[in-house]
Coordinates of all heavy atoms in Angstrom, one line a residue:
Y71 N 133.4 88.3 86.0 CA 133.3 87.4 87.1 C 132.7 86.1 86.7 O 132.5 85.2 87.6 CB 132.4 87.9 88.2 CG 133.0 89.2 88.8 CD1 132.4 90.4 88.5 CD2 134.1 89.2 89.6 CE1 132.9 91.6 89.1 CE2 134.6 90.4 90.1 CZ 134.0 91.5 89.9 OH 134.5 92.7 90.3
G72 N 132.3 85.9 85.5 CA 131.6 84.7 85.0 C 132.5 83.5 84.8 O 133.7 83.5 85.4
E73 N 132.1 82.5 84.0 CA 132.9 81.3 83.8 C 134.3 81.5 83.3 O 135.2 80.8 83.6 CB 132.1 80.4 82.9 CG 130.8 79.8 83.5 CD 130.1 79.0 82.5 OE1 130.6 78.7 81.4 OE2 129.0 78.6 82.8
R74 N 134.5 82.5 82.4 CA 135.8 82.7 81.8 C 136.6 83.7 82.5 O 137.6 84.3 81.9 CB 135.6 83.0 80.3 CG 134.9 81.9 79.6 CD 134.8 82.3 78.1 NE 133.8 81.4 77.5 CZ 132.9 81.8 76.7 NH1 132.8 83.1 76.3 NH2 132.1 81.0 76.3
S75 N 136.3 84.0 83.7 CA 137.1 85.1 84.4 C 138.5 84.5 84.8 O 138.7 83.2 84.8 CB 136.4 85.5 85.7 OG 136.3 84.4 86.6
P76 N 139.4 85.3 85.1 CA 140.8 84.8 85.4 C 140.7 83.9 86.6 O 141.4 82.9 86.7 CB 141.5 86.1 85.8 CG 140.9 87.2 85.0 CD 139.4 86.8 84.9
S77 N 139.9 84.2 87.7 CA 139.9 83.4 88.8 C 139.3 81.9 88.5 O 139.8 80.9 89.0 CB 139.1 84.0 89.9 OG 137.7 84.2 89.5
S78 N 138.3 81.9 87.6 CA 137.8 80.6 87.3 C 138.7 79.8 86.4 O 138.8 78.6 86.5 CB 136.4 80.7 86.7 OG 136.5 81.3 85.4
A79 N 139.5 80.5 85.6 CA 140.5 79.8 84.8 C 141.6 79.2 85.6 O 142.0 78.1 85.4 CB 141.1 80.8 83.7
A80 N 142.0 79.9 86.7 CA 143.0 79.4 87.6 C 142.4 78.2 88.3 O 143.1 77.2 88.5 CB 143.4 80.5 88.5
R81 N 141.2 78.2 88.7 CA 140.5 77.2 89.5 C 140.5 76.0 88.5 O 140.7 74.9 88.9 CB 139.1 77.6 89.9 CG 138.5 76.7 90.9 CD 137.1 77.3 91.4 NE 136.9 78.7 91.0 CZ 135.9 79.2 90.5 NH1 134.9 78.4 90.3 NH2 135.8 80.5 90.2
Y82 N 140.1 76.1 87.3 CA 140.0 75.1 86.3 C 141.4 74.4 86.1 O 141.5 73.1 86.1 CB 139.5 75.5 84.9 CG 139.5 74.5 83.9 CD1 138.6 73.5 83.9 CD2 140.4 74.5 82.8 CE1 138.5 72.5 82.9 CE2 140.4 73.6 81.9 CZ 139.5 72.6 81.9 OH 139.5 71.6 80.9
R83 N 142.4 75.2 86.0 CA 143.8 74.6 85.8 C 144.2 73.8 87.1 O 144.8 72.8 86.9 CB 144.8 75.7 85.6 CG 144.8 76.2 84.1 CD 146.0 77.1 83.9 NE 146.0 78.3 84.8 CZ 145.5 79.5 84.5 NH1 144.9 79.5 83.3 NH2 145.6 80.4 85.3
S84 N 143.9 74.3 88.2 CA 144.2 73.6 89.5 C 143.5 72.3 89.6 O 144.0 71.3 90.1 CB 144.1 74.5 90.7 OG 142.7 74.6 91.0
E85 N 142.2 72.3 89.2 CA 141.4 71.0 89.2 C 142.0 70.0 88.3 O 142.1 68.8 88.6 CB 140.0 71.3 88.9 CG 139.2 72.0 90.0 CD 137.8 72.4 89.5 OE1 137.4 72.1 88.5 OE2 137.2 73.1 90.3
R86 N 142.4 70.5 87.0 CA 143.0 69.5 86.1 C 144.3 69.0 86.5 O 144.6 67.8 86.4 CB 143.3 70.3 84.8 CG 141.9 70.4 84.0 CD 142.1 70.9 82.6 NE 142.9 69.9 81.8 CZ 143.6 70.2 80.7 NH1 143.5 71.4 80.2 NH2 144.2 69.3 80.1

Side-chain angles (χ1 to χ4, degrees):
Y71 300 108
E73 291 177 8
R74 297 185 197 135
S75 69
S77 62
S78 66
R81 193 172 349 130
Y82 176 73
R83 281 192 299 270
S84 73
E85 287 175 4
R86 282 190 64 197

